[in-house]
Amino acid sequence: MENNTTKYIFITGGVTSSLGKGIIAASLGKLLKERGFSVTIQKLDPYINIDPGTMNPYEHGECYVTEDGAETDLDLGHYERFLNNTTSQANNVTTGRIYQTVINKERNGDYLGKTIQIIPHITDEIKRRIKILGETQEYDFVITEIGGTVGDIESLPYIEAVRQLNWELESDALCIHLTLIPFLAAAGELKTKPTQHSVKTLLESGIQPDILVCRTEHNLSNEIRNKIALFCNVGFNSVIESKDADTIYDVPLLMQKEGLDKVVLRKLNIQSNKEASMKDWKLFLEKLKDPKETIEIGLIGKYIELKDSYKSISESLLHSGTMNECKVNINWIHAEEINIKNVRKKLGKLNGVIVAPGFGDRGIEGKINAIRFIRENKIPFFGICLGMQTAVIEFGRNVLKLQDINSTEMKKDCENPAIDLMESQKNIKNKGGTMRLGSYKCTLSKNSKAFESYQKENINERHRHRFEFNNKYLERYESAGMIATGINIDNNLVEIIEIPSHPWYVGVQFHPEYKSTVAKPHPLFNQFILASISNKKEK
Ligand code: GLN
């Protein structure tokens, strides 16, 4: 960029939560990237957990894992899927982490006897974490999404840090505020008052938003836009409509139509004559909206009441389905509800089944029943992390006929622990951040479904688990027809298992779903979809 300084864009939210700040951030990031700028997106979360790794998915949806092994907010998944850029530990910061750093420094004596306070010590640490991405990695744009809603007590230090940075950085920063324009059915009108109040709340904290992105169910008339502009003190063109869309993948194009990227560039005094082309994105959307066929995929998990628990998996299915011009109908199946009697009814019509990752023994028996049915009835199977481990248990029980085979996660003192803790995990007591996390190497056997998918021998995939295949059993498994086709050579760990006599039966110890993006759907998901399409044709 011509003047070489990083520009900082802050995105705050008002009126209600769940307006989709993450999607707006990712959409703006995508438009700027397509114009040729380098962009990264960061999320600040105002809760006290150090990271979401220790949270139940019901609390917070999926925990997304980065290459460098950070357990992060699921919005980082959107950033990676939209931008096709990797993120890192620095892209997700929580209040817990901020306080931990400040308190550790205090214990270390780094503050030289000062009284430690929210302002300046906590706000300085927030500011340091925001600027670090621009300073160390030289991005043209750092987009920072502030979690929560303005007016929340817990967001205040972040809002104050944004106020200070806006003041320090002058023309190198701007603030976008995302709000809601509700439609009152009884009055037949869109209402601007909640937005006016939300902007007043921001103003009380010393921040005048530069741009308002307004979520709405109906188009905003010029009259409404004028009213919002006048009462919220922003330009007419800085009132951006964000109408409800069919899919999140429409949003970048809607934002382009509304000129969000143009207003941002103008406000930051950046010349950019090249419009974002979005050619490939449009092609993707065309395919997404005009599928040639539909397949039925089962997703078996234990947190299915909250679909966000499996966000990256459902998005990966969508990416790979779209690439193959195929609509993937996800059948959400609760693991606890599957038993021997109903398994055929629940799974018999499906073209492919994913058994999801997870922790603890709830639903395990249901998953085992499901996997037996899928294995015996030759339905394409994709087991991810706990899904792979459960496949190993099922095969041990029903094919190898090993008594009391289990994972030591489910039964500590089982006779045949085919899935067990790694030695290095055995003495770990702390729960947070202590799993095998982030990217690890894996070497594929040439003659395998995995190799067919990736078309290369050496791959890297992201991990998040404590338990592993127990190599003591490998020979017995392989001679009975379940083969290890991916190995981490450094630690001699089984990463992928397959049953070659089955049309498509692949279990992976890692999480491929974290690496699927719109630009690059994941090879294993692609092949799984192809196998499921074949299953449909044969049925
Ligand atoms: N609970 C299993 C383990 O810790 C699997 C984890 C997962 O599915 N991510 O190894």
Side-chain angles (χ1 to χ4, degrees), residues 466-526:
R466 285 182 210 287
F467 295 81
E468 307 279 351
F469 185 91
N470 183 348
N471 281 324
K472 252 180 28 199
Y473 294 87
L474 187 56
E475 247 183 68
R476 264 190 276 182
Y477 272 81
E478 294 206 321
S479 52
M482 181 178 270
I483 314 286
T485 58
I487 302 281
N488 175 308
I489 293 178
D490 299 337
N491 300 310
N492 192 25
L493 294 169
V494 172
E495 299 274 350
I496 308 179
I497 51 106
E498 296 185 23
I499 298 182
S501 60
H502 185 286
W504 209 89
Y505 188 104
V506 178
V508 292
Q509 184 56 82
F510 49 80
H511 290 267
E513 71 273 23
Y514 295 140
K515 282 177 84 162
S516 177
T517 70
V518 168
K520 254 197 182 159
H522 193 282
L524 282 175
F525 279 92
N526 294 343

Short mmCIF file of all heavy atoms in Angstrom, two decimals, residues 466-526:
data_model
loop_
_atom_site.label_atom_id
_atom_site.label_comp_id
_atom_site.label_asym_id
_atom_site.label_seq_id
_atom_site.Cartn_x
_atom_site.Cartn_y
_atom_site.Cartn_z
N ARG A 466 -6.63 -35.87 23.00
CA ARG A 466 -5.64 -36.43 23.92
C ARG A 466 -5.33 -37.89 23.62
O ARG A 466 -4.28 -38.40 23.94
CB ARG A 466 -6.18 -36.41 25.36
CG ARG A 466 -6.18 -35.08 25.99
CD ARG A 466 -6.70 -35.14 27.43
NE ARG A 466 -7.33 -33.88 27.72
CZ ARG A 466 -6.66 -32.75 27.93
NH1 ARG A 466 -5.35 -32.75 27.92
NH2 ARG A 466 -7.31 -31.62 28.16
N PHE A 467 -6.32 -38.60 23.07
CA PHE A 467 -6.22 -40.06 22.94
C PHE A 467 -5.76 -40.42 21.52
O PHE A 467 -5.98 -39.66 20.58
CB PHE A 467 -7.55 -40.71 23.28
CG PHE A 467 -7.92 -40.52 24.73
CD1 PHE A 467 -8.51 -39.33 25.18
CD2 PHE A 467 -7.64 -41.49 25.67
CE1 PHE A 467 -8.82 -39.14 26.51
CE2 PHE A 467 -7.95 -41.31 27.01
CZ PHE A 467 -8.55 -40.13 27.43
N GLU A 468 -5.15 -41.63 21.40
CA GLU A 468 -4.56 -42.06 20.13
C GLU A 468 -4.83 -43.54 19.93
O GLU A 468 -5.08 -44.28 20.89
CB GLU A 468 -3.03 -41.89 20.16
CG GLU A 468 -2.52 -40.51 20.55
CD GLU A 468 -2.53 -39.52 19.42
OE1 GLU A 468 -2.76 -39.93 18.25
OE2 GLU A 468 -2.32 -38.32 19.69
N PHE A 469 -4.69 -43.97 18.69
CA PHE A 469 -4.74 -45.41 18.39
C PHE A 469 -3.57 -46.08 19.12
O PHE A 469 -2.43 -45.60 19.07
CB PHE A 469 -4.62 -45.62 16.88
CG PHE A 469 -4.77 -47.06 16.47
CD1 PHE A 469 -6.00 -47.57 16.15
CD2 PHE A 469 -3.67 -47.93 16.43
CE1 PHE A 469 -6.16 -48.91 15.78
CE2 PHE A 469 -3.81 -49.26 16.08
CZ PHE A 469 -5.06 -49.75 15.74
N ASN A 470 -3.85 -47.22 19.76
CA ASN A 470 -2.82 -47.93 20.51
C ASN A 470 -2.11 -48.93 19.58
O ASN A 470 -2.70 -49.92 19.17
CB ASN A 470 -3.51 -48.65 21.69
CG ASN A 470 -2.54 -49.36 22.58
OD1 ASN A 470 -1.37 -49.53 22.25
ND2 ASN A 470 -3.04 -49.79 23.74
N ASN A 471 -0.85 -48.64 19.27
CA ASN A 471 -0.12 -49.42 18.26
C ASN A 471 0.03 -50.91 18.59
O ASN A 471 0.31 -51.71 17.70
CB ASN A 471 1.26 -48.81 18.01
CG ASN A 471 1.15 -47.61 17.09
OD1 ASN A 471 0.32 -47.60 16.18
ND2 ASN A 471 1.95 -46.59 17.35
N LYS A 472 -0.17 -51.25 19.86
CA LYS A 472 -0.10 -52.66 20.27
C LYS A 472 -1.09 -53.52 19.45
O LYS A 472 -0.90 -54.71 19.27
CB LYS A 472 -0.49 -52.77 21.75
CG LYS A 472 0.69 -53.08 22.62
CD LYS A 472 0.42 -53.21 24.09
CE LYS A 472 -0.95 -53.65 24.55
NZ LYS A 472 -1.19 -53.31 25.97
N TYR A 473 -2.17 -52.87 19.00
CA TYR A 473 -3.24 -53.62 18.31
C TYR A 473 -3.15 -53.54 16.79
O TYR A 473 -3.94 -54.16 16.09
CB TYR A 473 -4.62 -53.09 18.77
CG TYR A 473 -4.89 -53.37 20.22
CD1 TYR A 473 -4.46 -52.49 21.21
CD2 TYR A 473 -5.54 -54.54 20.62
CE1 TYR A 473 -4.69 -52.76 22.56
CE2 TYR A 473 -5.77 -54.81 21.96
CZ TYR A 473 -5.34 -53.92 22.92
OH TYR A 473 -5.56 -54.19 24.24
N LEU A 474 -2.18 -52.76 16.30
CA LEU A 474 -2.19 -52.43 14.86
C LEU A 474 -2.14 -53.68 13.97
O LEU A 474 -2.91 -53.79 13.00
CB LEU A 474 -1.04 -51.47 14.53
CG LEU A 474 -1.03 -50.93 13.09
CD1 LEU A 474 -2.36 -50.24 12.77
CD2 LEU A 474 0.11 -49.96 12.87
N GLU A 475 -1.24 -54.61 14.31
CA GLU A 475 -1.10 -55.80 13.46
C GLU A 475 -2.41 -56.57 13.34
O GLU A 475 -2.83 -56.98 12.26
CB GLU A 475 -0.03 -56.71 14.05
CG GLU A 475 1.19 -56.79 13.16
CD GLU A 475 2.20 -57.76 13.73
OE1 GLU A 475 1.91 -58.99 13.74
OE2 GLU A 475 3.22 -57.25 14.21
N ARG A 476 -3.06 -56.76 14.50
CA ARG A 476 -4.32 -57.51 14.50
C ARG A 476 -5.38 -56.82 13.64
O ARG A 476 -6.11 -57.45 12.89
CB ARG A 476 -4.83 -57.67 15.94
CG ARG A 476 -4.41 -59.02 16.52
CD ARG A 476 -5.08 -59.28 17.82
NE ARG A 476 -4.33 -58.62 18.88
CZ ARG A 476 -4.68 -58.70 20.18
NH1 ARG A 476 -5.75 -59.38 20.54
NH2 ARG A 476 -3.96 -58.10 21.10
N TYR A 477 -5.45 -55.49 13.77
CA TYR A 477 -6.42 -54.74 12.97
C TYR A 477 -6.11 -54.90 11.48
O TYR A 477 -7.00 -55.16 10.67
CB TYR A 477 -6.41 -53.25 13.34
CG TYR A 477 -7.35 -52.92 14.47
CD1 TYR A 477 -6.99 -53.15 15.80
CD2 TYR A 477 -8.61 -52.39 14.22
CE1 TYR A 477 -7.86 -52.87 16.85
CE2 TYR A 477 -9.49 -52.10 15.26
CZ TYR A 477 -9.11 -52.33 16.56
OH TYR A 477 -9.97 -52.05 17.60
N GLU A 478 -4.83 -54.74 11.15
CA GLU A 478 -4.48 -54.74 9.72
C GLU A 478 -4.74 -56.11 9.11
O GLU A 478 -5.24 -56.21 7.99
CB GLU A 478 -3.04 -54.28 9.52
CG GLU A 478 -2.91 -52.79 9.92
CD GLU A 478 -1.80 -52.05 9.23
OE1 GLU A 478 -0.73 -52.64 9.05
OE2 GLU A 478 -2.02 -50.85 8.89
N SER A 479 -4.44 -57.18 9.87
CA SER A 479 -4.66 -58.50 9.26
C SER A 479 -6.15 -58.80 9.12
O SER A 479 -6.55 -59.63 8.31
CB SER A 479 -3.90 -59.60 10.01
OG SER A 479 -4.22 -59.52 11.36
N ALA A 480 -6.99 -58.09 9.88
CA ALA A 480 -8.44 -58.31 9.74
C ALA A 480 -9.09 -57.34 8.76
O ALA A 480 -10.31 -57.39 8.55
CB ALA A 480 -9.11 -58.21 11.10
N GLY A 481 -8.29 -56.40 8.19
CA GLY A 481 -8.86 -55.56 7.13
C GLY A 481 -9.05 -54.09 7.45
O GLY A 481 -9.58 -53.35 6.63
N MET A 482 -8.66 -53.64 8.64
CA MET A 482 -8.66 -52.19 8.90
C MET A 482 -7.20 -51.73 8.91
O MET A 482 -6.41 -52.18 9.74
CB MET A 482 -9.34 -51.86 10.24
CG MET A 482 -9.37 -50.36 10.50
SD MET A 482 -10.22 -49.92 12.06
CE MET A 482 -11.89 -49.71 11.50
N ILE A 483 -6.87 -50.85 7.94
CA ILE A 483 -5.47 -50.52 7.69
C ILE A 483 -5.16 -49.09 8.12
O ILE A 483 -6.00 -48.20 7.93
CB ILE A 483 -5.17 -50.60 6.16
CG1 ILE A 483 -5.76 -51.86 5.54
CG2 ILE A 483 -3.70 -50.47 5.83
CD1 ILE A 483 -5.02 -53.12 5.87
N ALA A 484 -3.96 -48.88 8.66
CA ALA A 484 -3.51 -47.50 8.93
C ALA A 484 -2.90 -46.97 7.64
O ALA A 484 -1.88 -47.49 7.17
CB ALA A 484 -2.49 -47.50 10.05
N THR A 485 -3.51 -45.95 7.05
CA THR A 485 -3.01 -45.43 5.77
C THR A 485 -2.36 -44.05 5.91
O THR A 485 -1.88 -43.49 4.94
CB THR A 485 -4.15 -45.31 4.74
OG1 THR A 485 -5.16 -44.45 5.28
CG2 THR A 485 -4.76 -46.67 4.43
N GLY A 486 -2.36 -43.51 7.13
CA GLY A 486 -1.69 -42.24 7.39
C GLY A 486 -1.01 -42.34 8.74
O GLY A 486 -1.63 -42.75 9.72
N ILE A 487 0.29 -42.00 8.75
CA ILE A 487 1.07 -42.14 9.99
C ILE A 487 1.84 -40.85 10.25
O ILE A 487 2.37 -40.25 9.31
CB ILE A 487 2.12 -43.30 9.84
CG1 ILE A 487 1.46 -44.63 9.49
CG2 ILE A 487 3.03 -43.43 11.05
CD1 ILE A 487 0.81 -45.35 10.64
N ASN A 488 1.90 -40.46 11.51
CA ASN A 488 2.83 -39.40 11.88
C ASN A 488 4.15 -40.08 12.21
O ASN A 488 4.27 -40.78 13.22
CB ASN A 488 2.30 -38.63 13.10
CG ASN A 488 3.29 -37.60 13.61
OD1 ASN A 488 4.45 -37.92 13.85
ND2 ASN A 488 2.84 -36.38 13.76
N ILE A 489 5.12 -39.90 11.31
CA ILE A 489 6.36 -40.68 11.42
C ILE A 489 7.18 -40.25 12.64
O ILE A 489 7.79 -41.07 13.32
CB ILE A 489 7.18 -40.55 10.11
CG1 ILE A 489 6.40 -41.24 9.00
CG2 ILE A 489 8.56 -41.19 10.26
CD1 ILE A 489 7.03 -41.17 7.65
N ASP A 490 7.15 -38.96 12.96
CA ASP A 490 7.95 -38.47 14.10
C ASP A 490 7.58 -39.17 15.40
O ASP A 490 8.43 -39.48 16.21
CB ASP A 490 7.75 -36.96 14.29
CG ASP A 490 8.18 -36.18 13.06
OD1 ASP A 490 9.00 -36.73 12.30
OD2 ASP A 490 7.68 -35.05 12.86
N ASN A 491 6.27 -39.36 15.60
CA ASN A 491 5.83 -39.96 16.88
C ASN A 491 5.25 -41.35 16.72
O ASN A 491 4.71 -41.90 17.67
CB ASN A 491 4.77 -39.06 17.54
CG ASN A 491 5.31 -37.69 17.81
OD1 ASN A 491 6.37 -37.55 18.40
ND2 ASN A 491 4.61 -36.66 17.35
N ASN A 492 5.30 -41.88 15.52
CA ASN A 492 4.72 -43.18 15.20
C ASN A 492 3.25 -43.27 15.67
O ASN A 492 2.87 -44.17 16.42
CB ASN A 492 5.57 -44.30 15.83
CG ASN A 492 5.17 -45.66 15.30
OD1 ASN A 492 4.64 -45.75 14.18
ND2 ASN A 492 5.39 -46.70 16.08
N LEU A 493 2.46 -42.32 15.22
CA LEU A 493 1.04 -42.30 15.61
C LEU A 493 0.17 -42.55 14.38
O LEU A 493 0.45 -42.04 13.29
CB LEU A 493 0.67 -40.93 16.19
CG LEU A 493 1.36 -40.57 17.52
CD1 LEU A 493 1.13 -39.11 17.85
CD2 LEU A 493 0.84 -41.46 18.65
N VAL A 494 -0.88 -43.35 14.59
CA VAL A 494 -1.82 -43.61 13.49
C VAL A 494 -2.70 -42.37 13.31
O VAL A 494 -3.33 -41.90 14.26
CB VAL A 494 -2.70 -44.83 13.81
CG1 VAL A 494 -3.80 -44.98 12.75
CG2 VAL A 494 -1.85 -46.09 13.87
N GLU A 495 -2.74 -41.86 12.08
CA GLU A 495 -3.52 -40.65 11.80
C GLU A 495 -4.77 -40.96 10.98
O GLU A 495 -5.75 -40.24 11.05
CB GLU A 495 -2.68 -39.64 11.01
CG GLU A 495 -1.43 -39.17 11.74
CD GLU A 495 -1.72 -38.00 12.66
OE1 GLU A 495 -2.82 -37.45 12.60
OE2 GLU A 495 -0.84 -37.65 13.46
N ILE A 496 -4.69 -42.03 10.15
CA ILE A 496 -5.84 -42.36 9.30
C ILE A 496 -6.03 -43.88 9.28
O ILE A 496 -5.05 -44.62 9.18
CB ILE A 496 -5.62 -41.90 7.83
CG1 ILE A 496 -5.22 -40.41 7.79
CG2 ILE A 496 -6.86 -42.15 6.97
CD1 ILE A 496 -4.94 -39.87 6.40
N ILE A 497 -7.28 -44.32 9.40
CA ILE A 497 -7.57 -45.74 9.20
C ILE A 497 -8.56 -45.89 8.04
O ILE A 497 -9.39 -44.99 7.81
CB ILE A 497 -8.14 -46.42 10.48
CG1 ILE A 497 -9.32 -45.63 11.06
CG2 ILE A 497 -7.07 -46.56 11.56
CD1 ILE A 497 -10.63 -46.23 10.83
N GLU A 498 -8.43 -46.99 7.33
CA GLU A 498 -9.37 -47.26 6.23
C GLU A 498 -9.72 -48.73 6.21
O GLU A 498 -8.95 -49.56 6.71
CB GLU A 498 -8.72 -46.90 4.88
CG GLU A 498 -8.41 -45.44 4.73
CD GLU A 498 -7.89 -45.09 3.33
OE1 GLU A 498 -8.16 -45.84 2.37
OE2 GLU A 498 -7.21 -44.06 3.22
N ILE A 499 -10.86 -49.06 5.60
CA ILE A 499 -11.19 -50.47 5.30
C ILE A 499 -11.24 -50.58 3.78
O ILE A 499 -12.21 -50.15 3.15
CB ILE A 499 -12.54 -50.87 5.93
CG1 ILE A 499 -12.47 -50.74 7.45
CG2 ILE A 499 -12.92 -52.29 5.51
CD1 ILE A 499 -13.75 -51.16 8.17
N PRO A 500 -10.18 -51.10 3.18
CA PRO A 500 -10.11 -51.10 1.70
C PRO A 500 -11.23 -51.89 1.03
O PRO A 500 -11.58 -51.59 -0.11
CB PRO A 500 -8.75 -51.74 1.41
CG PRO A 500 -7.97 -51.58 2.67
CD PRO A 500 -8.95 -51.60 3.80
N SER A 501 -11.81 -52.88 1.75
CA SER A 501 -12.86 -53.68 1.10
C SER A 501 -14.21 -52.96 1.10
O SER A 501 -15.19 -53.45 0.56
CB SER A 501 -13.01 -55.01 1.84
OG SER A 501 -13.37 -54.74 3.19
N HIS A 502 -14.27 -51.80 1.71
CA HIS A 502 -15.51 -51.01 1.79
C HIS A 502 -15.43 -49.91 0.72
O HIS A 502 -14.34 -49.42 0.42
CB HIS A 502 -15.59 -50.43 3.21
CG HIS A 502 -16.84 -49.68 3.54
ND1 HIS A 502 -17.12 -48.43 3.05
CD2 HIS A 502 -17.90 -50.00 4.34
CE1 HIS A 502 -18.29 -48.02 3.51
NE2 HIS A 502 -18.78 -48.95 4.30
N PRO A 503 -16.58 -49.49 0.13
CA PRO A 503 -16.51 -48.47 -0.93
C PRO A 503 -15.81 -47.17 -0.48
O PRO A 503 -15.05 -46.58 -1.25
CB PRO A 503 -17.97 -48.20 -1.28
CG PRO A 503 -18.77 -49.30 -0.68
CD PRO A 503 -17.95 -49.97 0.37
N TRP A 504 -16.09 -46.69 0.69
CA TRP A 504 -15.38 -45.49 1.18
C TRP A 504 -15.52 -45.45 2.70
O TRP A 504 -16.56 -45.05 3.23
CB TRP A 504 -15.96 -44.21 0.56
CG TRP A 504 -14.92 -43.12 0.45
CD1 TRP A 504 -14.06 -42.91 -0.59
CD2 TRP A 504 -14.62 -42.09 1.42
NE1 TRP A 504 -13.24 -41.84 -0.33
CE2 TRP A 504 -13.56 -41.31 0.88
CE3 TRP A 504 -15.11 -41.75 2.68
CZ2 TRP A 504 -13.00 -40.22 1.55
CZ3 TRP A 504 -14.56 -40.66 3.35
CH2 TRP A 504 -13.52 -39.90 2.79
N TYR A 505 -14.48 -45.86 3.36
CA TYR A 505 -14.50 -45.94 4.83
C TYR A 505 -13.20 -45.34 5.34
O TYR A 505 -12.14 -45.96 5.26
CB TYR A 505 -14.62 -47.40 5.24
CG TYR A 505 -14.87 -47.63 6.73
CD1 TYR A 505 -16.13 -47.99 7.20
CD2 TYR A 505 -13.83 -47.50 7.65
CE1 TYR A 505 -16.35 -48.22 8.54
CE2 TYR A 505 -14.05 -47.71 9.00
CZ TYR A 505 -15.31 -48.08 9.44
OH TYR A 505 -15.54 -48.30 10.78
N VAL A 506 -13.26 -44.09 5.79
CA VAL A 506 -12.05 -43.37 6.20
C VAL A 506 -12.28 -42.74 7.58
O VAL A 506 -13.27 -42.04 7.80
CB VAL A 506 -11.70 -42.27 5.17
CG1 VAL A 506 -10.46 -41.49 5.61
CG2 VAL A 506 -11.48 -42.86 3.78
N GLY A 507 -11.37 -43.02 8.49
CA GLY A 507 -11.41 -42.37 9.80
C GLY A 507 -10.13 -41.58 10.00
O GLY A 507 -9.04 -42.08 9.70
N VAL A 508 -10.25 -40.34 10.45
CA VAL A 508 -9.06 -39.51 10.62
C VAL A 508 -8.96 -39.03 12.06
O VAL A 508 -9.95 -38.62 12.66
CB VAL A 508 -9.06 -38.31 9.65
CG1 VAL A 508 -8.89 -38.78 8.22
CG2 VAL A 508 -10.30 -37.44 9.79
N GLN A 509 -7.74 -39.09 12.62
CA GLN A 509 -7.53 -38.65 13.99
C GLN A 509 -7.52 -37.12 14.08
O GLN A 509 -7.77 -36.53 15.12
CB GLN A 509 -6.22 -39.26 14.50
CG GLN A 509 -5.88 -38.99 15.95
CD GLN A 509 -7.00 -39.44 16.89
OE1 GLN A 509 -7.11 -40.59 17.23
NE2 GLN A 509 -7.83 -38.51 17.32
N PHE A 510 -7.29 -36.47 12.92
CA PHE A 510 -7.21 -34.99 12.89
C PHE A 510 -8.55 -34.39 12.48
O PHE A 510 -9.54 -35.10 12.31
CB PHE A 510 -6.09 -34.56 11.94
CG PHE A 510 -6.13 -35.23 10.60
CD1 PHE A 510 -7.01 -34.80 9.61
CD2 PHE A 510 -5.31 -36.32 10.32
CE1 PHE A 510 -7.06 -35.42 8.38
CE2 PHE A 510 -5.35 -36.96 9.08
CZ PHE A 510 -6.23 -36.51 8.11
N HIS A 511 -8.55 -33.06 12.34
CA HIS A 511 -9.79 -32.34 11.98
C HIS A 511 -9.64 -31.68 10.61
O HIS A 511 -9.24 -30.52 10.53
CB HIS A 511 -10.07 -31.26 13.02
CG HIS A 511 -10.49 -31.78 14.34
ND1 HIS A 511 -11.80 -31.95 14.70
CD2 HIS A 511 -9.76 -32.18 15.41
CE1 HIS A 511 -11.88 -32.43 15.92
NE2 HIS A 511 -10.65 -32.58 16.39
N PRO A 512 -10.00 -32.40 9.53
CA PRO A 512 -9.86 -31.80 8.20
C PRO A 512 -10.77 -30.59 8.02
O PRO A 512 -10.47 -29.68 7.24
CB PRO A 512 -10.28 -32.94 7.26
CG PRO A 512 -11.14 -33.84 8.09
CD PRO A 512 -10.60 -33.75 9.48
N GLU A 513 -11.88 -30.56 8.77
CA GLU A 513 -12.88 -29.50 8.57
C GLU A 513 -12.34 -28.10 8.82
O GLU A 513 -12.89 -27.13 8.29
CB GLU A 513 -14.12 -29.77 9.45
CG GLU A 513 -13.95 -29.58 10.95
CD GLU A 513 -13.44 -30.81 11.70
OE1 GLU A 513 -12.79 -31.67 11.05
OE2 GLU A 513 -13.64 -30.90 12.92
N TYR A 514 -11.25 -27.98 9.61
CA TYR A 514 -10.72 -26.64 9.89
C TYR A 514 -10.01 -26.04 8.69
O TYR A 514 -9.70 -24.87 8.68
CB TYR A 514 -9.76 -26.68 11.07
CG TYR A 514 -10.38 -27.06 12.40
CD1 TYR A 514 -9.71 -27.89 13.29
CD2 TYR A 514 -11.63 -26.59 12.78
CE1 TYR A 514 -10.26 -28.23 14.52
CE2 TYR A 514 -12.20 -26.94 13.98
CZ TYR A 514 -11.51 -27.77 14.85
OH TYR A 514 -12.06 -28.11 16.06
N LYS A 515 -9.71 -26.89 7.70
CA LYS A 515 -8.91 -26.36 6.58
C LYS A 515 -9.69 -26.20 5.29
O LYS A 515 -9.13 -25.81 4.27
CB LYS A 515 -7.68 -27.24 6.35
CG LYS A 515 -6.60 -26.94 7.39
CD LYS A 515 -5.40 -27.83 7.26
CE LYS A 515 -4.39 -27.35 6.24
NZ LYS A 515 -3.08 -28.01 6.46
N SER A 516 -11.00 -26.46 5.30
CA SER A 516 -11.77 -26.29 4.07
C SER A 516 -12.14 -24.81 3.91
O SER A 516 -12.62 -24.19 4.86
CB SER A 516 -13.04 -27.14 4.14
OG SER A 516 -13.82 -26.93 3.00
N THR A 517 -11.91 -24.26 2.73
CA THR A 517 -12.31 -22.86 2.47
C THR A 517 -13.11 -22.82 1.16
O THR A 517 -13.11 -23.80 0.40
CB THR A 517 -11.08 -21.93 2.33
OG1 THR A 517 -10.40 -22.26 1.13
CG2 THR A 517 -10.13 -22.07 3.52
N VAL A 518 -13.74 -21.67 0.91
CA VAL A 518 -14.50 -21.53 -0.34
C VAL A 518 -13.56 -21.73 -1.54
O VAL A 518 -13.89 -22.41 -2.50
CB VAL A 518 -15.17 -20.14 -0.40
CG1 VAL A 518 -15.71 -19.84 -1.78
CG2 VAL A 518 -16.29 -20.07 0.64
N ALA A 519 -12.37 -21.13 -1.45
CA ALA A 519 -11.44 -21.22 -2.57
C ALA A 519 -10.83 -22.62 -2.68
O ALA A 519 -10.41 -23.04 -3.75
CB ALA A 519 -10.33 -20.19 -2.40
N LYS A 520 -10.75 -23.33 -1.55
CA LYS A 520 -10.07 -24.64 -1.53
C LYS A 520 -10.82 -25.63 -0.67
O LYS A 520 -10.44 -25.89 0.47
CB LYS A 520 -8.68 -24.44 -0.91
CG LYS A 520 -7.56 -24.48 -1.89
CD LYS A 520 -6.30 -24.69 -1.11
CE LYS A 520 -5.11 -24.70 -2.03
NZ LYS A 520 -3.92 -24.41 -1.30
N PRO A 521 -11.90 -26.20 -1.19
CA PRO A 521 -12.60 -27.24 -0.44
C PRO A 521 -11.65 -28.38 -0.09
O PRO A 521 -10.68 -28.63 -0.83
CB PRO A 521 -13.69 -27.71 -1.41
CG PRO A 521 -13.87 -26.58 -2.35
CD PRO A 521 -12.52 -25.94 -2.50
N HIS A 522 -11.90 -29.07 1.01
CA HIS A 522 -10.93 -30.06 1.49
C HIS A 522 -10.98 -31.35 0.67
O HIS A 522 -12.06 -31.89 0.42
CB HIS A 522 -11.20 -30.37 2.96
CG HIS A 522 -10.09 -31.11 3.60
ND1 HIS A 522 -9.90 -32.46 3.40
CD2 HIS A 522 -9.08 -30.69 4.39
CE1 HIS A 522 -8.82 -32.83 4.07
NE2 HIS A 522 -8.30 -31.77 4.68
N PRO A 523 -9.81 -31.89 0.28
CA PRO A 523 -9.77 -33.08 -0.57
C PRO A 523 -10.53 -34.28 0.02
O PRO A 523 -11.18 -35.01 -0.74
CB PRO A 523 -8.28 -33.41 -0.71
CG PRO A 523 -7.54 -32.43 0.10
CD PRO A 523 -8.47 -31.35 0.52
N LEU A 524 -10.46 -34.51 1.33
CA LEU A 524 -11.17 -35.67 1.89
C LEU A 524 -12.68 -35.47 1.82
O LEU A 524 -13.43 -36.40 1.52
CB LEU A 524 -10.75 -35.91 3.34
CG LEU A 524 -9.40 -36.59 3.56
CD1 LEU A 524 -9.07 -36.65 5.05
CD2 LEU A 524 -9.36 -37.99 2.95
N PHE A 525 -13.15 -34.25 2.10
CA PHE A 525 -14.58 -33.98 1.97
C PHE A 525 -15.01 -34.12 0.51
O PHE A 525 -16.09 -34.64 0.21
CB PHE A 525 -14.93 -32.59 2.52
CG PHE A 525 -15.08 -32.55 4.01
CD1 PHE A 525 -13.99 -32.24 4.82
CD2 PHE A 525 -16.29 -32.83 4.62
CE1 PHE A 525 -14.12 -32.22 6.21
CE2 PHE A 525 -16.43 -32.81 6.00
CZ PHE A 525 -15.33 -32.51 6.79
N ASN A 526 -14.15 -33.66 -0.42
CA ASN A 526 -14.49 -33.78 -1.85
C ASN A 526 -14.73 -35.24 -2.22
O ASN A 526 -15.71 -35.58 -2.88
CB ASN A 526 -13.36 -33.24 -2.73
CG ASN A 526 -13.18 -31.74 -2.56
OD1 ASN A 526 -14.07 -31.06 -2.05
ND2 ASN A 526 -12.03 -31.23 -2.97
#
